[in-house]
Amino acid sequence: MLPFSAAIETLRIANRMLGYEAYTWRLASTDGTQVLSSSGIGLEVNTSLADERKFLGGENRPSMVLVCSGIYVEDFNNKSVNAWLREVYNRGVSVGSLCTGAHVLASAGLLTGKRCAIHWENLPGFAEAFPQVDVYADLYEIDSNIYTCAGGTASLDMMLNLIDQDFGENLVNRVCEQALTDRVRGPHDRQRLPLRARLGVQNAKVLSIIELMEGNLSEPLSLLEIADSAGLSRRQIERLFRQEMGRSPARYYLEIRLDRARHLLVQSAMPVVEVAVACGFVSASHFSKCYRELYNRSPQQERAERKLTLQAAR
């Protein structure tokens, strides 16, 4: 609901500041019936895909189509939606996504060779599922006439970019004042809090080592390689991690690899052995042992619980 509402409200405020309806919108679902949001709030829609296909050749033809989706998007695969998205794109309509909607665009084949943005939580699974797509943990990406954003308040930033293209900076500033946002974020601003704030760590050396670890999850570096890169001895790194993180560097490295594995297990259909390899484990058995020790359940149980949760949500 947050990226959905932020996108529409930004356009509504722009209309109010202009004094006329420069932007109009309508909501469509596959069959024209109500859509239930992940918060349980139902959204009434205006049209169905059948209606939208008819509109393409007339005065109600849209200038842009935005796909909005949230959790469990990996399990959505609708051939009619994919065909319709390809049709509108091939007929010159701009196409975009809010939050995890990039997954739907990629499934439709519209993001091959394109830059896109998606929520950081979904990025690992997305990158594995669509290796032909250039995905980034940016707030939003604009590649030709394809617009994607990471969700949350990033949809506001993407809409502000559209308003800037159409009406300029003055209107953007007026919209920001109404929305009580004090600055316009650029597309490449970070999605997540900086490591310093996220982890509550101030030591620059520890932060740089963690960044190095996070950038090398599929092929983990040895502690000696990390020490060489950081310009520290192994003993110094061990001491710093004990002080700042309350655990050894090896343990911390293992935990962030397992966290990546957990995202892949719940966001993709990758076999467990492939998840293990993608997260730097030499064998599925070792991966399962480490996973169970940290999460008190096996990778297979994690995936099974996720399927039960999805069925309950439906």
Side-chain angles (χ1 to χ4, degrees):
M1 284 295 287
L2 180 56
F4 170 80
S5 300
I8 290 180
E9 280 298 288
T10 303
L11 299 179
R12 182 194 66 80
I13 294 171
N15 285 345
R16 180 166 173 254
M17 295 298 97
L18 289 167
Y20 66 95
E21 282 198 342
Y23 299 103
T24 59
W25 51 86
R26 59 179 179 262
L27 306 183
S29 67
T30 54
D31 56 5
T33 60
Q34 183 190 71
V35 176
L36 194 66
S37 72
S38 54
S39 60
I41 297 174
L43 295 171
E44 298 295 335
V45 302
N46 309 109
T47 63
S48 66
L49 287 191
D51 297 326
E52 291 298 330
R53 283 196 172 92
K54 297 175 184 177
F55 293 157
L56 266 179
E59 61 181 13
N60 287 323
R61 168 192 170 96
S63 60
M64 173 177 281
V65 169
L66 289 171
V67 178
C68 183
S69 62
I71 57 175
Y72 307 134
V73 67
E74 302 84 11
D75 295 283
F76 179 82
N77 186 19
N78 187 298
K79 292 181 179 179
S80 295
V81 170
N82 292 346
W84 175 68
L85 287 170
R86 288 192 293 268
E87 182 179 1
V88 296
Y89 178 75
N90 291 334
R91 295 183 65 169
V93 177
S94 296
V95 175
S97 66
L98 307 177
C99 200
T100 61
H103 205 288
V104 181
L105 301 189
S107 295
L110 298 183
L111 295 183
T112 301
K114 300 285 188 180
R115 292 176 61 94
C116 79
I118 199 168
H119 194 283
W120 63 265
E121 190 176 41
N122 299 85
L123 197 151
F126 183 93
E128 292 291 340
F130 303 104
Q132 72 278 21
V133 179
D134 297 326
V135 62
Y136 296 90
D138 293 335
L139 291 183
Y140 63 91
E141 283 284 348
I142 302 173
D143 192 335
S144 185
N145 61 338
I146 292 183
Y147 295 70
T148 55
C149 77
T153 57
S155 63
L156 179 148
D157 298 291
M158 189 169 77
M159 291 299 107
L160 289 175
N161 181 283
L162 289 174
I163 293 169
D164 187 29
Q165 292 178 39
D166 293 337
F167 294 100
E169 184 179 1
N170 182 56
L171 180 59
V172 169
N173 291 338
R174 294 173 66 194
V175 171
C176 286
E177 288 181 334
Q178 289 292 318
L180 303 184
T181 183
D182 62 353
R183 71 186 183 96
V184 179
R185 296 183 296 178
H188 306 306
D189 279 20
R190 67 171 68 235
Q191 290 184 24
R192 304 185 70 180
L193 289 172
L195 276 176
R196 190 181 301 273
R198 187 167 15 123
L199 301 177
V201 174
Q202 302 300 319
N203 188 287
K205 284 291 186 181
V206 172
L207 292 172
S208 67
I209 291 170
I210 292 174
E211 287 182 351
L212 188 64
M213 290 176 173
E214 290 186 347
N216 293 273
L217 298 181
S218 60
E219 296 183 8
L221 301 173
S222 68
L223 187 54
L224 183 59
E225 290 173 314
I226 292 173
D228 287 343
S229 178
L232 297 171
S233 69
R234 294 180 57 175
R235 183 174 295 180
Q236 286 175 312
I237 293 176
E238 290 277 0
R239 188 183 73 252
L240 283 172
F241 266 75
R242 292 288 182 188
Q243 291 174 347
E244 298 288 342
M245 308 304 297
R247 51 174 87 52
S248 70
R251 179 64 186 180
Y252 184 82
Y253 207 170
L254 175 64
E255 289 177 1
I256 61 175
R257 287 162 55 209
L258 289 171
D259 181 66
R260 168 65 64 87
R262 186 170 181 272
H263 280 96
L264 291 176
L265 287 169
V266 301
Q267 294 172 9
S268 75
M270 291 173 64
V272 171
V273 65
E274 291 186 15
V275 172
V277 171
C279 298
F281 291 90
V282 295
S283 70
S285 60
H286 181 233
F287 167 58
S288 294
K289 178 178 179 292
C290 294
Y291 198 93
R292 185 184 291 276
E293 287 176 353
L294 182 62
Y295 295 115
N296 294 317
R297 54 188 176 275
S298 69
Q300 291 81 1
Q301 288 173 322
E302 184 77 76
R303 181 159 280 171
E305 289 178 17
R306 191 260 188 183
K307 288 181 179 178
L308 290 174
T309 302
L310 177 59
Q311 290 171 358
R314 287 173 173 170

